Amino acid sequence: MTGERHEAPDSTAVRVALWRAMHVRVDPPPHVLKDEVGLRLVNPDDGWRGRPDMDPRATGAFRAAIVARARFIEDLVVEQAGRGVAQYVVLGAGLDTFAQRRPEIAARLRVFEVDRPGPQAWKRRRLTELGYGVPDRLRLVPVDFEASGDWWKQLSAAGFDPGRPAVVVSTGVSVYLTKDATAATLRLLSGLAPGSTLAMTFMLPTGLLDAADRPALEATKPKARADGTPFISFYTPREMLALARDAGFEDVRHVPGTALAERYFADRTDGLRPSSGEDLLVATT
């Protein structure tokens, strides 16, 4: 679109996309999630697999955590679509590829990807270049999450119907937002139509991680700060549940990352398991 800056996605979104592709390329089957579309969008140079953050062994637990949360969300969306829910909102969409990978499900939904204007313009261009395009069922909604309430208006302007049930997901976002911004988001979403579901990931304080995972988290914090995406907010499960209840949700539950490990990795023989540190809030209206 004229006047839009095609700002590349941030390093975190790129890393997530590449880890999802790495899962397919270096981990033996069965694959928890098959996604190489993000890799095509990023189109890195030929040496991308030699990056330190792509080391197959050193980053295996992080890679597993990323595909586990993505698979959980995808299963949730498929389940809700089967129940007739026809709106799917991805907050902080980054390089999400659901609409491209699961067209048979996306065809039954209107998918709203909410993200910053620059990266969205970049993604729109790349989807067009790769031949996926941006069909009417996929709405790219450019917003600033820290501008309280503004994103909600823009979502409605893009065709979202607040009177109909929806699945709303936010993965890997809350750690980068202030707690006030997350509380404001929860207050807005608690007013979703009955039958709606919210799934939001949150990062645990270091002390709640498995001892083996704590050094990696601490080592990641300075790098995130240097990349311009500092970690801001951490939550205990009790704190996140209380935040959701205070926002107006009555039906809330905590899904530990360990539960995803048991669901998707229990029978693996290669030792691949997700790292601890990121859990999920699931709330319904």
Side-chain angles (χ1 to χ4, degrees):
M1 292 183 181
T2 303
E4 283 188 326
R5 291 184 302 116
H6 292 184
E7 175 189 341
D10 63 43
S11 60
T12 302
V14 170
R15 187 178 303 116
V16 166
L18 297 184
W19 273 343
R20 286 164 65 145
M22 284 285 285
H23 178 55
V24 177
R25 297 197 171 196
V26 306
D27 297 325
H31 295 121
V32 176
L33 187 84
K34 295 181 180 179
D35 181 11
E36 295 186 280
V37 176
L39 173 62
R40 295 188 68 201
L41 287 170
V42 175
N43 191 28
D45 60 46
D46 291 341
W48 70 273
R49 286 181 58 169
R51 290 170 37 161
D53 60 355
M54 292 296 124
D55 181 279
R57 184 177 297 275
T59 64
F62 296 117
R63 183 170 67 248
I66 289 298
V67 297
R69 79 181 188 193
R71 174 64 183 274
F72 177 84
I73 294 299
E74 195 151 304
D75 287 351
L76 175 66
V77 173
V78 171
E79 175 192 13
Q80 292 301 308
R83 294 178 177 177
V85 175
Q87 300 186 108
Y88 174 31
V89 181
V90 190
L91 301 179
L95 295 171
D96 188 87
T97 60
F98 176 83
Q100 292 77 46
R101 291 182 302 100
R102 301 298 305 271
E104 78 286 2
I105 303 297
R108 294 152 56 188
L109 299 165
R110 180 163 284 178
V111 181
F112 299 87
E113 294 191 7
V114 183
D115 209 343
R116 295 183 296 119
Q120 278 220 328
W122 179 94
K123 186 175 185 181
R124 181 185 295 275
R125 175 175 61 82
R126 290 294 295 144
L127 287 172
T128 300
E129 290 172 349
L130 292 172
Y132 293 108
V134 183
D136 184 64
R137 59 179 167 75
L138 174 60
R139 306 292 174 90
L140 302 183
V141 188
V143 302
D144 179 355
F145 284 103
E146 293 287 354
S148 179
D150 186 59
W151 69 268
W152 183 253
K153 294 177 184 177
Q154 293 187 53
L155 182 62
S156 296
F160 178 76
D161 184 352
R164 299 173 61 199
V167 180
V168 181
V169 305
S170 173
T171 59
V173 175
S174 65
V175 71
Y176 301 111
L177 301 179
T178 64
K179 293 190 176 183
D180 285 346
T182 294
T185 297
L186 288 170
R187 285 194 296 272
L188 282 172
L189 296 178
S190 68
L192 288 167
S196 298
T197 303
L198 165 67
M200 175 183 287
T201 63
F202 60 95
M203 289 291 292
L204 301 173
T206 305
L208 295 185
L209 272 63
D210 293 345
D213 294 330
R214 293 173 193 169
L217 174 62
E218 291 303 315
T220 302
K221 289 179 181 178
K223 188 177 189 314
R225 193 179 307 114
D227 288 343
T229 53
F231 296 164
I232 296 173
S233 301
F234 297 83
Y235 303 85
T236 66
R238 179 175 295 182
E239 182 182 8
M240 180 53 79
L241 291 175
L243 200 65
R245 291 192 185 100
D246 290 345
F249 285 101
E250 294 183 3
D251 186 356
V252 299
R253 63 187 174 99
H254 165 226
V255 180
T258 53
L260 303 188
E262 290 304 317
R263 180 179 301 188
Y264 301 121
F265 294 84
D267 297 328
R268 295 189 70 92
T269 59
D270 59 356
L272 185 67
R273 299 280 286 191
S275 60
S276 61
E278 186 176 62
D279 286 3
L280 281 125
L281 162 74
V282 178
T284 57
T285 57

Short mmCIF file of all heavy atoms in Angstrom, two decimals, residues 1 4 12 21 32-34 86 105 130 141-142 145 148 163 175 190 195 200-201 224 236 242 250 255:
data_model
loop_
_atom_site.label_atom_id
_atom_site.label_comp_id
_atom_site.label_asym_id
_atom_site.label_seq_id
_atom_site.Cartn_x
_atom_site.Cartn_y
_atom_site.Cartn_z
N MET A 1 0.83 -1.19 0.00
CA MET A 1 0.00 0.00 0.00
C MET A 1 0.87 1.25 0.00
O MET A 1 1.91 1.29 0.64
CB MET A 1 -0.89 0.02 1.26
CG MET A 1 -1.94 -1.06 1.26
SD MET A 1 -3.00 -0.93 2.71
CE MET A 1 -4.08 -2.32 2.46
N GLU A 4 3.10 2.92 3.12
CA GLU A 4 3.45 1.97 4.16
C GLU A 4 4.94 1.65 4.09
O GLU A 4 5.51 1.49 3.02
CB GLU A 4 2.67 0.66 4.00
CG GLU A 4 1.23 0.75 4.47
CD GLU A 4 0.56 -0.61 4.46
OE1 GLU A 4 0.88 -1.43 3.59
OE2 GLU A 4 -0.28 -0.85 5.34
N THR A 12 12.87 -11.67 16.94
CA THR A 12 12.17 -12.73 17.66
C THR A 12 11.22 -13.48 16.72
O THR A 12 11.17 -14.71 16.73
CB THR A 12 11.38 -12.15 18.84
OG1 THR A 12 12.28 -11.47 19.72
CG2 THR A 12 10.66 -13.24 19.61
N ALA A 21 10.75 -24.24 11.22
CA ALA A 21 11.29 -24.96 10.07
C ALA A 21 12.36 -25.96 10.48
O ALA A 21 12.43 -27.07 9.94
CB ALA A 21 11.86 -23.96 9.06
N VAL A 32 5.65 -32.41 15.55
CA VAL A 32 4.55 -31.81 16.31
C VAL A 32 3.81 -30.79 15.45
O VAL A 32 2.59 -30.64 15.55
CB VAL A 32 5.09 -31.16 17.59
CG1 VAL A 32 3.99 -30.45 18.36
CG2 VAL A 32 5.76 -32.21 18.47
N LEU A 33 4.55 -30.08 14.63
CA LEU A 33 3.98 -29.08 13.72
C LEU A 33 4.84 -29.06 12.46
O LEU A 33 6.07 -29.10 12.56
CB LEU A 33 3.99 -27.69 14.38
CG LEU A 33 3.27 -26.58 13.60
CD1 LEU A 33 1.77 -26.62 13.91
CD2 LEU A 33 3.83 -25.21 13.97
N LYS A 34 4.20 -28.99 11.31
CA LYS A 34 4.95 -28.92 10.05
C LYS A 34 4.76 -27.53 9.47
O LYS A 34 3.67 -27.19 8.99
CB LYS A 34 4.46 -29.98 9.07
CG LYS A 34 4.73 -31.40 9.53
CD LYS A 34 4.25 -32.42 8.51
CE LYS A 34 4.53 -33.84 8.98
NZ LYS A 34 4.05 -34.86 8.00
N ALA A 86 -16.43 -18.79 13.94
CA ALA A 86 -16.00 -18.42 12.59
C ALA A 86 -15.05 -17.23 12.57
O ALA A 86 -14.74 -16.71 11.49
CB ALA A 86 -17.22 -18.12 11.72
N ILE A 105 -9.18 -25.28 6.95
CA ILE A 105 -9.79 -24.74 8.17
C ILE A 105 -9.99 -23.24 8.02
O ILE A 105 -11.06 -22.70 8.37
CB ILE A 105 -8.92 -25.04 9.41
CG1 ILE A 105 -8.68 -26.54 9.55
CG2 ILE A 105 -9.58 -24.48 10.67
CD1 ILE A 105 -9.94 -27.36 9.78
N LEU A 130 5.17 -14.55 -2.94
CA LEU A 130 5.23 -16.01 -2.91
C LEU A 130 3.99 -16.67 -3.51
O LEU A 130 3.93 -17.89 -3.61
CB LEU A 130 5.42 -16.49 -1.47
CG LEU A 130 6.77 -16.16 -0.84
CD1 LEU A 130 6.77 -16.51 0.64
CD2 LEU A 130 7.90 -16.90 -1.55
N VAL A 141 -4.35 -6.47 10.22
CA VAL A 141 -4.82 -5.30 10.96
C VAL A 141 -3.62 -4.63 11.63
O VAL A 141 -3.10 -5.13 12.63
CB VAL A 141 -5.87 -5.69 12.01
CG1 VAL A 141 -6.48 -4.44 12.65
CG2 VAL A 141 -6.95 -6.57 11.41
N PRO A 142 -3.13 -3.50 11.11
CA PRO A 142 -1.96 -2.84 11.69
C PRO A 142 -2.34 -2.00 12.90
O PRO A 142 -3.21 -1.14 12.82
CB PRO A 142 -1.45 -1.96 10.54
CG PRO A 142 -2.67 -1.66 9.73
CD PRO A 142 -3.59 -2.85 9.86
N PHE A 145 -0.06 -1.96 20.05
CA PHE A 145 -0.68 -2.58 21.22
C PHE A 145 -0.65 -1.70 22.45
O PHE A 145 -1.48 -1.82 23.35
CB PHE A 145 0.00 -3.92 21.54
CG PHE A 145 -0.40 -5.01 20.60
CD1 PHE A 145 0.46 -5.43 19.60
CD2 PHE A 145 -1.63 -5.61 20.70
CE1 PHE A 145 0.09 -6.43 18.72
CE2 PHE A 145 -2.02 -6.61 19.83
CZ PHE A 145 -1.14 -7.02 18.84
N SER A 148 -3.83 2.17 24.13
CA SER A 148 -4.98 1.52 24.78
C SER A 148 -6.27 1.72 24.00
O SER A 148 -6.68 2.85 23.71
CB SER A 148 -5.14 2.06 26.21
OG SER A 148 -6.25 1.46 26.84
N GLY A 163 -20.13 -9.16 18.22
CA GLY A 163 -21.34 -9.85 18.65
C GLY A 163 -21.34 -11.33 18.35
O GLY A 163 -22.28 -12.05 18.71
N VAL A 175 5.18 -10.94 27.47
CA VAL A 175 6.47 -10.67 28.11
C VAL A 175 7.06 -9.35 27.64
O VAL A 175 7.85 -8.73 28.35
CB VAL A 175 7.46 -11.83 27.85
CG1 VAL A 175 7.91 -11.86 26.40
CG2 VAL A 175 8.65 -11.74 28.78
N SER A 190 -12.57 -9.63 27.70
CA SER A 190 -13.59 -10.24 28.57
C SER A 190 -15.00 -9.91 28.09
O SER A 190 -15.96 -10.57 28.49
CB SER A 190 -13.41 -9.79 30.02
OG SER A 190 -13.72 -8.40 30.17
N GLY A 195 -19.26 -17.76 24.31
CA GLY A 195 -18.76 -18.84 23.47
C GLY A 195 -17.39 -18.56 22.89
O GLY A 195 -16.87 -19.35 22.11
N MET A 200 -3.60 -17.18 25.90
CA MET A 200 -2.49 -16.23 26.00
C MET A 200 -1.32 -16.88 26.71
O MET A 200 -1.48 -17.47 27.78
CB MET A 200 -2.94 -14.98 26.77
CG MET A 200 -1.84 -13.97 27.05
SD MET A 200 -2.41 -12.57 28.06
CE MET A 200 -3.39 -11.68 26.83
N THR A 201 -0.14 -16.79 26.11
CA THR A 201 1.05 -17.30 26.79
C THR A 201 1.61 -16.24 27.73
O THR A 201 1.41 -15.04 27.52
CB THR A 201 2.15 -17.71 25.79
OG1 THR A 201 2.58 -16.55 25.06
CG2 THR A 201 1.67 -18.78 24.84
N ALA A 224 17.85 -9.96 24.29
CA ALA A 224 16.55 -9.40 23.94
C ALA A 224 16.56 -7.88 24.09
O ALA A 224 16.01 -7.15 23.25
CB ALA A 224 15.46 -10.01 24.82
N THR A 236 3.45 -15.19 37.73
CA THR A 236 3.19 -16.51 38.28
C THR A 236 1.83 -16.95 37.74
O THR A 236 1.00 -16.11 37.35
CB THR A 236 3.14 -16.49 39.81
OG1 THR A 236 2.00 -15.72 40.22
CG2 THR A 236 4.41 -15.90 40.39
N ALA A 242 -5.49 -14.39 38.32
CA ALA A 242 -6.13 -13.29 39.04
C ALA A 242 -6.34 -12.09 38.12
O ALA A 242 -7.38 -11.41 38.17
CB ALA A 242 -5.30 -12.90 40.26
N GLU A 250 -14.70 -15.18 33.99
CA GLU A 250 -15.08 -16.05 35.10
C GLU A 250 -14.51 -17.45 34.95
O GLU A 250 -14.14 -18.10 35.92
CB GLU A 250 -16.61 -16.12 35.22
CG GLU A 250 -17.25 -14.79 35.61
CD GLU A 250 -18.74 -14.91 35.80
OE1 GLU A 250 -19.27 -16.04 35.68
OE2 GLU A 250 -19.38 -13.89 36.06
N VAL A 255 -2.70 -23.62 31.84
CA VAL A 255 -2.16 -24.79 31.13
C VAL A 255 -0.64 -24.72 31.23
O VAL A 255 -0.01 -23.90 30.56
CB VAL A 255 -2.59 -24.81 29.65
CG1 VAL A 255 -2.01 -26.03 28.94
CG2 VAL A 255 -4.11 -24.79 29.52
#
